[in-house]
Amino acid sequence: MKHNLNENQRKCCIKCLGGIPYASLIATILLYAGVALFCGCGHEALSGTVNILQTYFELTRSAGDVIDVFTMIDIFKYVIYGVAAAFFVYGILLMVEGFFTTGAIKDLYGDFKITTCGRCVSAWFIMLTYIFMLAWLGVTAFTSLPVYMYFNLWTICRNATLVDGANLCLDLRQYGIVTIGEEKKICTMSENFFKMCDSNELNMTFHLFIVALAGAGAAVIAMVHYLMVLSANWAYVKDACRMQKYEDIKSKEEQELHDIHSTRSKERLNAYT
């Protein structure tokens, strides 16, 4: 009795493990990891940027409703909050879709029936995931901009220590952070420059932006993975629907032949009697 119980438990576990959409699970883990890296590191890198601009470049927030670099950074932070929440929910939806699609394929001849609505939902997820993939490509390209800016700043700090007497400057007007009429630059001969280069804040912010860029790239890879999984599932479901229609037509024809044969048998029996 105990042996049969263990055998039934083992079969149940194997059946449950067989119903897990592992491809969707891997893509979801990659998506969550990428979004977490992008949102977490991006948020801290933006906070570090605010401190660097205020401490070493001596920038101040504009009074009133003027949109300056600090206002844009605050907007980017709110966007990061929205991205984190939205893709947490979207990852769950894609996992649920993967479970239902896997169940639809494996239980084709059971109680579960594939409907046209299910195929439309799969096609809608494919289109939505494709749009999100393009959006993450744009996010990746946009995140590379601060990485490039901080790389230039890090290079200036490195060259200043290697070359004696070098007078190198970084002007914020080159990157559109301040207006043309407002001169905000830092040079190797200034005291703020040496303080900034010696501080850990610059290196930390630079590496945080690099990790955020890597997270955005991971999210792009996850979207591509989801596209492959969703396209394959949609093709499987479409073939399964065709097979289901074929089996329904075949069963109907067999039933009609059986009814015709039964009718003829009754007619012959009546004629004989």
Side-chain angles (χ1 to χ4, degrees):
M1 181 69 179
K2 185 177 181 180
H3 176 72
N4 293 333
L5 183 61
N6 293 332
E7 185 69 19
N8 292 332
Q9 291 177 350
R10 187 177 67 85
K11 291 181 179 179
C12 182
C13 290
I14 293 175
K15 184 178 180 181
C16 291
L17 292 175
I20 297 176
Y22 291 100
S24 297
L25 180 62
I26 293 172
T28 303
I29 294 174
L30 184 60
L31 176 64
Y32 281 167
V35 172
L37 288 177
F38 172 77
C39 294
C41 295
H43 182 275
E44 292 302 316
L46 290 174
S47 299
T49 301
V50 171
N51 293 332
I52 290 174
L53 292 176
Q54 290 178 339
T55 304
Y56 304 109
F57 288 90
E58 299 178 352
L59 275 180
T60 58
R61 290 181 178 269
S62 300
D65 297 332
V66 179
I67 298 178
D68 56 0
V69 62
F70 298 108
T71 304
M72 294 300 298
I73 289 176
D74 292 337
I75 293 174
F76 291 150
K77 286 183 178 181
Y78 286 115
V79 170
I80 285 176
Y81 301 149
V83 168
F87 278 91
F88 176 77
V89 176
Y90 190 65
I92 294 176
L93 292 177
L94 289 177
M95 273 298 298
V96 172
E97 194 275 342
F99 273 106
F100 274 107
T101 305
T102 303
I105 295 172
K106 292 189 176 183
D107 298 335
L108 175 62
Y109 301 105
D111 295 331
F112 189 91
K113 295 295 183 181
I114 304 170
T115 62
T116 305
C117 181
R119 284 182 292 167
C120 291
V121 170
S122 297
W124 171 255
F125 272 119
I126 292 174
M127 182 185 67
L128 199 59
T129 304
Y130 181 76
I131 295 174
F132 284 150
M133 183 198 69
L134 295 179
W136 275 109
L137 283 175
V139 170
T140 304
F142 183 78
T143 310
S144 64
L145 295 178
V147 174
Y148 172 72
M149 295 169 58
Y150 273 96
F151 177 76
N152 286 341
L153 186 56
W154 177 79
T155 304
I156 292 175
C157 289
R158 184 165 174 251
N159 292 336
T161 56
L162 294 177
V163 181
D164 295 333
N167 187 15
L168 303 175
C169 296
L170 180 68
D171 196 339
L172 296 182
R173 292 177 296 181
Q174 295 174 326
Y175 304 101
I177 296 178
V178 295
T179 59
I180 298 298
E182 186 180 3
E183 182 178 354
K184 291 293 182 179
K185 65 180 179 180
I186 189 169
C187 299
T188 56
M189 297 301 180
S190 63
E191 184 180 357
N192 284 339
F193 177 81
F194 291 106
K195 288 182 179 179
M196 182 183 64
C197 292
D198 293 336
S199 66
N200 293 325
E201 194 170 22
L202 176 63
N203 288 329
M204 180 61 69
T205 304
F206 179 38
H207 289 91
L208 283 174
F209 271 120
I210 292 177
V211 177
L213 178 61
V220 172
I221 296 174
M223 290 291 103
V224 174
H225 195 166
Y226 267 128
L227 276 177
M228 293 188 295
V229 172
L230 291 170
S231 299
N233 289 342
W234 186 81
Y236 290 150
V237 170
K238 185 177 181 180
D239 292 340
C241 287
R242 291 178 179 177
M243 183 63 68
Q244 180 178 332
K245 290 180 180 179
Y246 170 76
E247 292 294 333
D248 292 340
I249 294 173
K250 183 179 178 181
S251 299
K252 185 177 180 181
E253 290 179 351
E254 290 178 352
Q255 184 65 35
E256 290 177 354
L257 290 175
H258 181 268
D259 294 340
I260 292 173
H261 180 72
S262 299
T263 302
R264 290 181 178 179
S265 298
K266 291 180 181 179
E267 291 177 354
R268 291 177 182 177
L269 181 60
N270 293 333
Y272 178 77
T273 55

